[in-house]
Amino acid sequence: MLEVKDLTVSYGAVRALGGVDLSVAEGSVTAVLGANGAGKTTLLRAVSGLLRPRSGRVELDGADITGLPVEEVVRLGVAHVPQNGGVITELTVQENLRLGGLWRRDRAALARRIADMYELFPPLAQRRSRTAATLSGGERQMLALARALTGAPRLLLVDEPSLGLAPRVVAQLMAVLRRLCDEDGRTVLLVEQNARSALSVADRAVVLDLGSVVADEAAAVLAADDRLRHAYLGF
Ligand SMILES: Nc1ncnc2c1ncn2[C@@H]1O[C@H](COP(=O)(O)OP(=O)(O)OP(=O)(O)O)[C@@H](O)[C@H]1O
Ligand SMILES: [Mg+2]
Protein backbone atom coordinates (compact mmCIF):
# COMPACT_ATOMS: atom_id res chain seq x y z
CA MET A 1 0.00 0.00 0.00
CA LEU A 2 2.79 2.39 0.98
CA GLU A 3 6.22 2.34 -0.61
CA VAL A 4 9.05 4.59 0.48
CA LYS A 5 11.93 4.50 -1.95
CA ASP A 6 15.45 5.79 -1.37
CA LEU A 7 14.12 8.65 0.76
CA THR A 8 16.53 11.33 1.91
CA VAL A 9 15.43 14.19 4.17
CA SER A 10 17.62 16.98 5.56
CA TYR A 11 17.07 19.87 7.95
CA GLY A 12 19.50 22.36 6.48
CA ALA A 13 22.90 20.73 6.87
CA VAL A 14 21.56 17.96 9.14
CA ARG A 15 20.75 14.78 7.22
CA ALA A 16 17.96 13.06 9.16
CA LEU A 17 17.23 10.25 6.67
CA GLY A 18 19.62 8.89 4.08
CA GLY A 19 18.23 6.57 1.41
CA VAL A 20 15.45 4.87 3.36
CA ASP A 21 13.39 2.08 1.76
CA LEU A 22 10.21 0.83 3.39
CA SER A 23 7.20 -1.11 2.29
CA VAL A 24 3.90 -1.36 4.16
CA ALA A 25 1.38 -4.05 3.21
CA GLU A 26 -2.32 -3.22 3.30
CA GLY A 27 -4.05 -4.47 6.45
CA SER A 28 -0.83 -4.86 8.43
CA VAL A 29 0.86 -3.19 11.36
CA THR A 30 4.41 -2.16 10.47
CA ALA A 31 6.60 -0.88 13.29
CA VAL A 32 9.42 1.62 12.81
CA LEU A 33 11.80 1.27 15.74
CA GLY A 34 14.98 3.04 16.77
CA ALA A 35 16.57 5.26 19.38
CA ASN A 36 16.24 9.02 19.94
CA GLY A 37 17.16 10.91 16.80
CA ALA A 38 17.09 7.83 14.54
CA GLY A 39 14.78 9.65 12.10
CA LYS A 40 11.44 7.99 12.93
CA THR A 41 9.40 11.19 13.23
CA THR A 42 11.10 12.61 10.15
CA LEU A 43 10.01 9.54 8.18
CA LEU A 44 6.35 9.94 9.21
CA ARG A 45 6.42 13.67 8.46
CA ALA A 46 7.83 13.04 5.01
CA VAL A 47 5.11 10.46 4.29
CA SER A 48 2.25 12.70 5.43
CA GLY A 49 3.48 15.72 3.48
CA LEU A 50 4.63 17.81 6.44
CA LEU A 51 8.21 17.68 5.17
CA ARG A 52 9.49 17.76 1.63
CA PRO A 53 12.19 15.15 1.02
CA ARG A 54 15.44 16.12 -0.61
CA SER A 55 15.21 13.05 -2.85
CA GLY A 56 13.42 9.73 -3.17
CA ARG A 57 9.77 8.80 -3.54
CA VAL A 58 6.69 8.08 -1.50
CA GLU A 59 4.03 5.99 -3.24
CA LEU A 60 0.52 5.23 -2.08
CA ASP A 61 -1.25 2.44 -3.98
CA GLY A 62 1.39 2.83 -6.66
CA ALA A 63 0.81 6.57 -7.17
CA ASP A 64 3.55 9.08 -6.47
CA ILE A 65 2.53 11.31 -3.53
CA THR A 66 6.00 12.74 -2.83
CA GLY A 67 5.79 16.40 -1.85
CA LEU A 68 1.98 16.61 -2.07
CA PRO A 69 0.46 19.11 0.36
CA VAL A 70 -0.75 17.62 3.66
CA GLU A 71 -4.45 18.17 2.86
CA GLU A 72 -4.10 16.19 -0.37
CA VAL A 73 -2.45 13.31 1.45
CA VAL A 74 -5.25 13.39 4.06
CA ARG A 75 -7.86 13.21 1.29
CA LEU A 76 -6.13 10.12 -0.06
CA GLY A 77 -6.87 8.42 3.27
CA VAL A 78 -3.72 8.97 5.31
CA ALA A 79 -4.02 10.22 8.91
CA HIS A 80 -1.05 11.23 11.05
CA VAL A 81 -1.15 11.10 14.85
CA PRO A 82 1.87 13.21 15.82
CA GLN A 83 4.27 12.58 18.68
CA ASN A 84 2.53 13.79 21.90
CA GLY A 85 -0.86 13.51 20.19
CA GLY A 86 -1.35 17.12 19.18
CA VAL A 87 -4.85 17.38 20.63
CA ILE A 88 -6.10 20.91 21.23
CA THR A 89 -6.22 21.20 24.99
CA GLU A 90 -8.57 24.21 25.08
CA LEU A 91 -11.27 22.32 23.15
CA THR A 92 -13.54 19.63 24.52
CA VAL A 93 -13.17 15.97 23.65
CA GLN A 94 -16.20 16.23 21.34
CA GLU A 95 -14.81 19.33 19.59
CA ASN A 96 -11.46 17.64 19.03
CA LEU A 97 -13.21 14.65 17.49
CA ARG A 98 -15.29 16.83 15.18
CA LEU A 99 -12.12 18.54 13.93
CA GLY A 100 -10.64 15.21 12.85
CA GLY A 101 -13.44 14.52 10.39
CA LEU A 102 -14.62 18.01 9.39
CA TRP A 103 -12.96 17.88 6.02
CA ARG A 104 -15.28 15.03 4.99
CA ARG A 105 -18.27 17.43 5.00
CA ASP A 106 -20.82 14.64 5.44
CA ARG A 107 -22.31 15.65 8.81
CA ALA A 108 -24.32 12.47 9.37
CA ALA A 109 -21.33 10.26 8.62
CA LEU A 110 -19.15 12.32 10.96
CA ALA A 111 -21.70 11.97 13.79
CA ARG A 112 -21.70 8.21 13.26
CA ARG A 113 -17.91 8.05 13.26
CA ILE A 114 -17.78 10.01 16.52
CA ALA A 115 -20.32 7.63 18.08
CA ASP A 116 -18.12 4.73 16.94
CA MET A 117 -15.13 6.36 18.64
CA TYR A 118 -17.01 6.61 21.94
CA GLU A 119 -17.72 2.93 21.65
CA LEU A 120 -14.07 2.13 20.88
CA PHE A 121 -12.81 4.37 23.73
CA PRO A 122 -15.43 4.41 26.53
CA PRO A 123 -13.40 6.78 28.78
CA LEU A 124 -13.76 9.44 26.07
CA ALA A 125 -17.54 9.07 26.03
CA GLN A 126 -17.71 9.83 29.76
CA ARG A 127 -15.56 12.92 29.25
CA ARG A 128 -16.97 14.25 25.99
CA SER A 129 -17.83 17.72 27.35
CA ARG A 130 -14.57 18.22 29.24
CA THR A 131 -11.63 20.04 27.74
CA ALA A 132 -8.74 17.89 26.57
CA ALA A 133 -6.55 19.68 29.14
CA THR A 134 -8.33 17.73 31.90
CA LEU A 135 -7.53 14.30 30.41
CA SER A 136 -4.86 11.91 31.62
CA GLY A 137 -1.94 11.09 29.33
CA GLY A 138 -3.55 7.84 28.25
CA GLU A 139 -6.92 9.45 27.58
CA ARG A 140 -5.22 12.18 25.58
CA GLN A 141 -3.48 9.60 23.43
CA MET A 142 -6.82 7.82 22.93
CA LEU A 143 -8.33 11.15 21.86
CA ALA A 144 -5.49 11.75 19.39
CA LEU A 145 -6.05 8.31 17.89
CA ALA A 146 -9.84 8.72 17.86
CA ARG A 147 -9.56 12.13 16.23
CA ALA A 148 -7.48 10.67 13.41
CA LEU A 149 -9.99 7.82 13.01
CA THR A 150 -13.02 10.12 12.64
CA GLY A 151 -11.73 10.84 9.15
CA ALA A 152 -11.93 7.07 8.39
CA PRO A 153 -8.34 6.85 7.13
CA ARG A 154 -7.07 3.78 5.33
CA LEU A 155 -3.51 4.33 6.51
CA LEU A 156 -2.81 5.50 10.04
CA LEU A 157 0.63 6.92 10.91
CA VAL A 158 1.14 6.87 14.68
CA ASP A 159 4.17 8.49 16.31
CA GLU A 160 5.17 7.04 19.71
CA PRO A 161 1.72 6.60 21.27
CA SER A 162 3.30 4.89 24.31
CA LEU A 163 5.36 7.91 25.37
CA GLY A 164 4.96 8.54 29.11
CA LEU A 165 2.14 6.05 29.60
CA ALA A 166 1.79 3.24 32.14
CA PRO A 167 2.41 -0.28 30.76
CA ARG A 168 -1.25 -1.27 31.15
CA VAL A 169 -2.40 1.74 29.11
CA VAL A 170 0.26 1.07 26.47
CA ALA A 171 -0.98 -2.51 26.13
CA GLN A 172 -4.55 -1.26 25.63
CA LEU A 173 -3.49 1.19 22.92
CA MET A 174 -1.45 -1.46 21.12
CA ALA A 175 -4.42 -3.82 21.22
CA VAL A 176 -6.60 -1.12 19.65
CA LEU A 177 -4.09 -0.66 16.81
CA ARG A 178 -4.10 -4.41 16.16
CA ARG A 179 -7.92 -4.45 16.10
CA LEU A 180 -8.02 -1.59 13.61
CA CYS A 181 -6.17 -3.86 11.21
CA ASP A 182 -7.85 -7.15 11.98
CA GLU A 183 -11.43 -5.93 12.29
CA ASP A 184 -11.58 -2.73 10.22
CA GLY A 185 -9.01 -3.55 7.54
CA ARG A 186 -6.96 -0.44 8.28
CA THR A 187 -3.21 -0.24 7.80
CA VAL A 188 -0.94 1.07 10.54
CA LEU A 189 2.58 2.46 10.44
CA LEU A 190 3.61 2.60 14.09
CA VAL A 191 6.69 4.51 15.23
CA GLU A 192 7.93 3.46 18.66
CA GLN A 193 10.95 3.58 20.90
CA ASN A 194 9.12 1.05 23.05
CA ALA A 195 10.21 -1.83 20.81
CA ARG A 196 8.93 -4.61 23.00
CA SER A 197 5.35 -3.28 22.98
CA ALA A 198 5.38 -2.44 19.28
CA LEU A 199 6.72 -5.87 18.33
CA SER A 200 3.94 -7.53 20.31
CA VAL A 201 1.37 -6.23 17.78
CA ALA A 202 3.40 -5.64 14.62
CA ASP A 203 3.55 -7.93 11.61
CA ARG A 204 6.73 -6.41 10.33
CA ALA A 205 9.37 -4.15 11.80
CA VAL A 206 11.96 -1.80 10.43
CA VAL A 207 14.82 -0.54 12.60
CA LEU A 208 16.28 2.89 11.89
CA ASP A 209 19.66 4.01 13.14
CA LEU A 210 21.09 7.44 12.33
CA GLY A 211 18.71 7.83 9.40
CA SER A 212 19.32 4.45 7.78
CA VAL A 213 17.46 1.14 7.82
CA VAL A 214 19.55 -1.43 9.69
CA ALA A 215 16.91 -4.18 9.82
CA ASP A 216 13.66 -5.01 8.04
CA GLU A 217 12.15 -8.28 9.22
CA ALA A 218 9.00 -10.08 10.28
CA ALA A 219 8.31 -8.81 13.82
CA ALA A 220 8.68 -12.29 15.33
CA VAL A 221 12.07 -12.76 13.66
CA LEU A 222 13.32 -9.42 14.91
CA ALA A 223 12.05 -10.04 18.44
CA ALA A 224 14.04 -13.30 18.49
CA ASP A 225 17.27 -11.72 17.19
CA ASP A 226 19.39 -11.14 20.30
CA ARG A 227 22.10 -9.25 18.47
CA LEU A 228 19.69 -6.71 16.93
CA ARG A 229 17.68 -6.37 20.11
CA HIS A 230 20.76 -5.60 22.18
CA ALA A 231 22.35 -3.31 19.61
CA TYR A 232 19.32 -1.18 18.70
CA LEU A 233 16.19 -1.95 20.69
CA GLY A 234 17.33 -1.83 24.29
CA PHE A 235 15.77 -5.05 25.55
N1 LIG B 1 13.39 20.72 12.96
C1 LIG B 1 14.61 20.20 12.97
N2 LIG B 1 15.70 20.92 12.67
C2 LIG B 1 16.94 20.38 12.65
N3 LIG B 1 17.19 19.10 12.95
C3 LIG B 1 16.15 18.32 13.27
C4 LIG B 1 14.82 18.83 13.29
N4 LIG B 1 13.99 17.80 13.64
C5 LIG B 1 14.78 16.73 13.80
N5 LIG B 1 16.07 17.03 13.58
C6 LIG B 1 17.22 16.09 13.65
O1 LIG B 1 16.96 15.03 12.74
C7 LIG B 1 17.32 13.78 13.32
C8 LIG B 1 16.14 12.84 13.36
O2 LIG B 1 15.15 13.38 14.24
P1 LIG B 1 13.73 12.69 14.44
O3 LIG B 1 12.91 13.64 15.25
O4 LIG B 1 13.19 12.25 13.16
O5 LIG B 1 14.14 11.42 15.32
P2 LIG B 1 13.22 10.38 16.10
O6 LIG B 1 13.70 9.03 15.71
O7 LIG B 1 11.79 10.69 15.91
O8 LIG B 1 13.65 10.62 17.63
P3 LIG B 1 12.75 10.54 18.98
O9 LIG B 1 12.62 9.08 19.29
O10 LIG B 1 13.58 11.25 20.00
O11 LIG B 1 11.43 11.19 18.72
C9 LIG B 1 17.93 14.12 14.68
O12 LIG B 1 19.32 14.20 14.54
C10 LIG B 1 17.33 15.46 15.02
O13 LIG B 1 18.19 16.19 15.85
MG1 LIG C 1 10.28 11.17 17.15
Side-chain angles (χ1 to χ4, degrees):
M1 178 180 206
L2 179 74
E3 292 276 350
V4 170
K5 295 178 176 169
D6 200 17
L7 197 73
T8 295
V9 180
S10 298
Y11 299 100
V14 179
R15 170 167 292 198
L17 292 178
V20 167
D21 293 304
L22 171 78
S23 166
V24 176
E26 183 154 20
S28 71
V29 177
T30 301
V32 175
L33 311 174
N36 281 315
K40 306 180 299 296
T41 294
T42 302
L43 175 64
L44 286 196
R45 291 173 65 86
V47 169
S48 63
L50 288 165
L51 280 177
R52 192 173 254 284
R54 182 144 298 184
S55 62
R57 275 165 78 90
V58 180
E59 292 177 5
L60 188 68
D61 303 316
D64 187 5
I65 64 162
T66 322
L68 280 188
V70 178
E71 58 273 20
E72 293 285 319
V73 179
V74 168
R75 268 178 225 291
L76 291 169
V78 180
H80 185 167
V81 182
Q83 204 165 328
N84 296 316
V87 301
I88 300 174
T89 51
E90 294 84 355
L91 298 184
T92 65
V93 166
Q94 174 90 4
E95 287 163 345
N96 268 284
L97 289 179
R98 294 193 64 240
L99 278 182
L102 268 188
W103 60 277
R104 284 205 174 257
R105 290 209 179 85
D106 179 343
R107 292 290 174 92
L110 177 56
R112 274 198 306 277
R113 295 285 312 160
I114 291 177
D116 288 347
M117 288 307 113
Y118 288 142
E119 217 169 283
L120 188 62
F121 300 106
L124 295 183
Q126 293 158 19
R127 294 162 178 77
R128 67 182 80 194
S129 304
R130 295 210 208 146
T131 63
T134 67
L135 300 180
S136 71
E139 290 159 358
R140 222 179 271 200
Q141 199 54 251
M142 282 178 207
L143 178 57
L145 206 54
R147 184 180 61 177
L149 289 168
T150 55
R154 295 172 54 226
L155 174 63
L156 194 62
L157 312 172
V158 193
D159 198 347
E160 301 214 32
S162 78
L163 211 65
L165 303 184
R168 185 180 50 82
V169 181
V170 173
Q172 284 168 359
L173 280 171
M174 294 294 159
V176 166
L177 293 177
R178 188 67 247 174
R179 274 185 13 231
L180 291 173
C181 284
D182 295 343
E183 292 171 19
D184 297 351
R186 291 182 213 287
T187 306
V188 176
L189 184 56
L190 168 65
V191 158
E192 265 298 344
Q193 263 193 64
N194 186 341
R196 197 197 291 264
S197 294
L199 286 172
S200 71
V201 292
D203 299 292
R204 209 169 172 82
V206 170
V207 182
L208 283 181
D209 185 48
L210 301 173
S212 295
V213 174
V214 292
D216 183 348
E217 303 274 6
V221 171
L222 217 152
D225 188 324
D226 290 345
R227 189 192 64 84
L228 272 173
R229 277 198 295 122
H230 296 155
Y232 298 109
L233 305 181
F235 78 96

